[in-house]
Amino acid sequence: PATTIRDTLDVEAAEPMKDGVAAVKTAVESVYACLGITCADVGEFQASGIVYSGMDACADPPAPAPTPSPQTPRPTFCEFSNCADSNSAVPMSDAAARRAGEVAGAALAGAALAFIA
């Protein structure tokens, strides 16, 4: 898209607007998603309610179907100090996993504050 826009709008080109306005419009519209905008956000090119020929609002593509995410395994804790033995890893309950996350978050926050001080 960038090449189309640059080459078509280059006023020093041997043939300015060689691809035409429609090509520029299509190239610009093709990057709306990357810019975080939609065709509905931009609308059409008009004056006093009259839409210029070929400058209608584009149609947004349909939203992609959600991709199913793989089941995330529950975190584990070790019964012994050495977790290399797979028999020592025991699944944590959801509540225990949340609490472990809270404790880890608090430890990281404390370390960050100690570093800043």
Side-chain angles (χ1 to χ4, degrees):
T3 302
T4 299
I5 295 166
R6 183 193 64 224
D7 292 349
T8 304
L9 297 179
D10 185 358
V11 295
E12 294 182 5
E15 186 182 347
M17 294 299 291
K18 69 180 179 86
D19 294 325
V21 173
V24 173
K25 180 179 183 290
T26 300
V28 170
E29 290 169 348
S30 74
V31 297
Y32 282 177
C34 295
L35 298 172
I37 60 176
T38 65
C39 293
D41 292 332
V42 176
E44 70 272 345
F45 185 55
Q46 54 93 15
S48 302
I50 299 171
V51 179
Y52 288 96
S53 177
M55 294 293 142
D56 296 316
C58 60
D60 290 313
T67 304
S69 62
Q71 186 72 355
T72 305
R74 289 186 176 178
T76 59
F77 71 94
C78 298
E79 291 178 329
F80 307 102
S81 60
N82 182 359
C83 288
D85 178 9
S86 62
N87 292 329
S88 66
V90 178
M92 298 171 76
S93 68
D94 288 339
R98 277 193 302 277
R99 180 67 186 137
E102 291 167 2
V103 169
L108 287 173
L113 289 175
F115 179 75
I116 293 170

